[in-house]
Amino acid sequence: MLEALVFLVRKFKEGHSMGQSAGREAYTSSGNENQNGQLVNDIKTMFERSKAPSVECHINRVPNHLRMVNAKAYTPMFISIGPFHHFNEKLQTAEKHKVKYVKSFMERNEVETNLESLVSTIRGMEESIYYCYEETISFSMHSDAFVKMILMDAIFIIELFLRYDNNSMKSDDPILGSQWMYPIMMLDLVLLENQLPFFVIEKLFNLAFPNHSNSLPLIEHTFKFFDCFNLQKMEPKDVKIDHFTDLYRTFYRLPPSSQPKGRTDTDRLKYSATQLKEAGVKFKVNPKKFLLDLNFDSKKGVLDMPCLRLYDQTEAFFRNVMALEQFLDEENQCITEYFIFLDFLINTTEDVYLLCNNGIVVNYLGDNEAAKHVVNNLNINISCPNINANYSGICKDLNAFYEKRCHKYMATLWHDYLNTPWRIASTIAAFVLLVLTFIQTVFSILH
């Protein structure tokens, strides 16, 4: 059936082209058959590749509508991991470091395997690794080149973790001994497009250290390496991750027992932080809570929020996590929901100042305008139609608190008459004048 369809299309195109130009000659019958056969095989190959088997994880390219907002946030600066940026010429210098790290790994006395066995292991998982990646870019690589790339990248990461865990930050180490290279690489390893499936790295690690007699499990090495991100000091026990972007997201997620249930698209916060303050809302920081653990006490009017620290790299870290969440279901878009709520609170630099003054935001970006820009731009082109029931409830309660008549009058008083020192002074002066005028009027009546 497919062969007949291809033949008819080709014949139609031949007839059309002959009508356009009499100088063109028709294909020979044998030539048609050869070309048709090749085309049929190509289409069948496409069909086969579209039947991706179920895989343990998915590693996606960042969608264009997100990349166009800030392409640098999704692009590695120093090292390429996996196929998406493997051919980037600007990252080729790091390939020399990979070779040195892999050579060092194979020379370790405790490694209980050889290079042939490691290659064979990757070869056996080749198809499942292929299908972890969203696009067919990996299919453009020759099988040997793909296996070599995965092997080199995985062993490089293992050797990096081992060196870090053994405090091998020596001056002669090309990465850990560099003041600029190490922090940049930390960011590169968390980028969504710069990932290896964790099960691949773990498989090679377990093959090299089958008894773990002289080494910790890989997940513990991983936690130690990324410890600076683990602000809540989560334990690696029973933690399962797809890759390092997923790990970074895991560090900020609420414990399973505390994760809110249910979604709603009806309640959005209508008022910014300064507007809520004018209505009497008090902002309180709770540094011991998870970042996403928010609470509003409507009786006391206290919004309880953990501390968020904004560094130069913060935007890139969270952009990649939010890009990852775009491929997950609504129940798993927790980081996105948090920044949507924060975007509700921050509309002006005064909102940033208020949150910084209360310790909820710690701004290392230089000025409040930069912090406002980061928070407001994180949600551009982000899709999150529904937010979780807890955040929705907080939005509803804050809106109701502001819209109470007494709180609304208080907000108007603060906004119109008490929002600057000059207005406060003029308001007091006007009030004093009004009182003196009233007293004078009373005395006039009495006398």
Side-chain angles (χ1 to χ4, degrees):
M1 184 68 179
L2 181 59
E3 289 83 350
L5 178 61
V6 170
F7 178 77
L8 289 174
V9 170
R10 189 176 295 281
K11 293 299 291 181
F12 173 80
K13 292 179 66 177
E14 287 177 16
H16 181 72
S17 62
M18 289 178 66
Q20 295 290 327
S21 175
R24 297 180 184 176
E25 296 182 358
Y27 290 113
T28 64
S29 177
S30 59
N32 280 338
E33 291 176 358
N34 291 337
Q35 286 193 324
N36 290 349
Q38 181 61 47
L39 181 56
V40 168
N41 290 334
D42 289 345
I43 296 175
K44 286 183 175 180
T45 301
M46 291 171 57
F47 289 167
E48 290 300 319
R49 288 178 177 177
S50 68
K51 300 176 182 178
S54 59
V55 292
E56 295 186 36
C57 81
H58 293 276
I59 300 173
N60 306 90
R61 265 200 182 278
V62 175
N64 288 332
H65 65 280
L66 296 183
R67 176 176 291 281
M68 64 185 293
V69 179
N70 186 352
K72 291 183 178 179
Y74 307 107
T75 306
M77 293 183 288
F78 169 64
I79 195 166
S80 167
I81 301 294
F84 289 143
H85 296 276
H86 181 70
F87 298 103
N88 187 335
E89 295 182 358
K90 297 179 180 179
L91 307 177
Q92 294 309 303
T93 301
E95 296 301 312
K96 300 177 182 178
H97 298 311
K98 288 182 185 178
V99 173
K100 294 178 180 179
Y101 269 55
V102 173
K103 183 174 183 292
S104 176
F105 176 82
M106 296 309 304
E107 292 173 351
R108 286 179 173 270
N109 293 328
E110 64 268 32
V111 172
E112 300 183 22
T113 187
N114 53 40
L115 188 57
E116 289 77 9
S117 179
L118 295 174
V119 170
S120 177
T121 300
I122 296 297
R123 182 79 71 187
M125 297 190 295
E126 183 178 359
E127 184 178 8
S128 60
I129 299 172
Y130 268 138
Y131 287 108
C132 287
Y133 294 96
E134 176 202 37
E135 297 188 1
T136 58
I137 183 171
S138 54
F139 286 104
S140 65
M141 299 178 66
H142 186 273
S143 175
D144 287 348
F146 184 79
V147 170
K148 176 185 175 183
M149 175 194 65
I150 297 296
L151 180 67
M152 295 290 289
D153 289 352
I155 295 180
F156 164 77
I157 291 173
I158 295 173
E159 176 67 14
L160 179 69
F161 287 2
L162 294 176
R163 291 190 183 195
Y164 182 86
D165 197 26
N166 292 329
N167 297 316
S168 301
M169 302 182 74
K170 303 176 182 178
S171 58
D172 60 344
D173 189 286
I175 295 177
L176 298 179
S178 171
Q179 293 184 347
W180 67 267
M181 196 180 297
Y182 170 66
I184 291 178
M185 189 199 61
M186 285 282 289
L187 172 58
D188 284 351
L189 290 180
V190 179
L191 302 182
L192 180 58
E193 295 183 346
N194 218 32
Q195 298 301 312
L196 287 185
F198 189 75
F199 73 83
V200 175
I201 310 172
E202 193 169 40
K203 181 74 173 180
L204 295 185
F205 182 87
N206 293 337
L207 187 63
F209 309 103
N211 300 316
H212 300 299
S213 57
N214 297 319
S215 177
L216 299 171
L218 179 62
I219 189 65
E220 295 197 26
H221 286 291
T222 304
F223 265 63
K224 287 189 175 184
F225 185 80
F226 291 109
D227 184 63
C228 61
F229 301 144
N230 189 10
L231 301 179
Q232 305 300 332
K233 301 304 176 185
M234 295 178 62
E235 294 294 330
K237 182 180 179 181
D238 299 327
V239 172
K240 294 183 179 180
I241 59 172
D242 290 340
H243 42 68
F244 299 145
T245 314
D246 185 38
L247 174 66
Y248 187 83
R249 176 174 172 272
T250 299
F251 285 146
Y252 287 94
R253 295 185 67 190
L254 292 170
S257 58
S258 303
Q259 292 179 14
K261 306 296 182 183
R263 331 294 299 170
T264 178
D265 61 350
T266 57
D267 296 301
R268 294 288 188 271
L269 185 58
K270 303 175 185 177
Y271 309 103
S272 68
T274 51
Q275 289 176 305
L276 292 172
K277 179 180 179 296
E278 290 167 356
V281 173
K282 302 177 184 66
F283 293 85
K284 177 183 176 183
V285 64
N286 191 332
K288 296 183 180 181
K289 283 188 175 183
F290 283 72
L291 180 66
L292 311 184
D293 193 2
L294 312 181
N295 181 64
F296 177 61
D297 187 334
S298 57
K299 293 182 179 179
K300 298 180 179 179
V302 176
L303 180 59
D304 188 307
M305 298 180 66
C307 177
L308 171 67
R309 291 173 173 82
L310 295 177
Y311 300 94
D312 290 336
Q313 299 84 7
T314 300
E315 180 180 0
F317 282 125
F318 284 114
R319 276 194 179 280
N320 280 271
V321 173
M322 292 169 72
L324 169 63
E325 290 188 343
Q326 293 296 282
F327 297 96
L328 306 178
D329 56 55
E330 288 184 347
E331 297 290 337
N332 289 297
Q333 295 187 11
C334 51
I335 302 294
T336 301
E337 292 169 334
Y338 169 80
F339 280 103
I340 286 177
F341 182 84
L342 198 63
D343 193 16
F344 290 153
L345 287 178
I346 296 177
N347 291 329
T348 66
T349 54
E350 287 75 18
D351 296 320
V352 176
Y353 175 79
L354 171 61
L355 296 180
C356 289
N357 198 42
N358 286 274
I360 293 172
V361 173
V362 179
N363 182 15
Y364 296 103
L365 298 178
D367 57 48
N368 292 337
E369 181 62 35
K372 170 184 170 296
H373 177 81
V374 167
V375 173
N376 292 156
N377 284 0
L378 274 173
N379 295 302
I380 294 178
N381 293 341
I382 286 289
S383 174
C384 185
N386 302 321
I387 60 176
N388 69 64
N390 181 41
Y391 286 7
S392 177
I394 292 174
C395 291
K396 182 178 180 180
D397 291 343
L398 284 170
N399 290 337
F401 187 93
Y402 182 94
E403 290 164 2
K404 282 185 178 179
R405 182 172 299 178
C406 58
H407 296 155
K408 204 167 187 177
Y409 289 159
M410 179 63 70
T412 301
L413 175 64
W414 274 101
H415 187 268
D416 293 342
Y417 302 104
L418 302 174
N419 64 338
T420 67
W422 295 109
R423 287 193 176 185
I424 292 174
S426 61
T427 300
I428 292 175
F431 179 74
V432 171
L433 180 62
L434 179 64
V435 171
L436 292 176
T437 301
F438 176 76
I439 294 174
Q440 183 181 15
T441 302
V442 171
F443 272 100
S444 298
I445 295 173
L446 292 177
H447 291 82

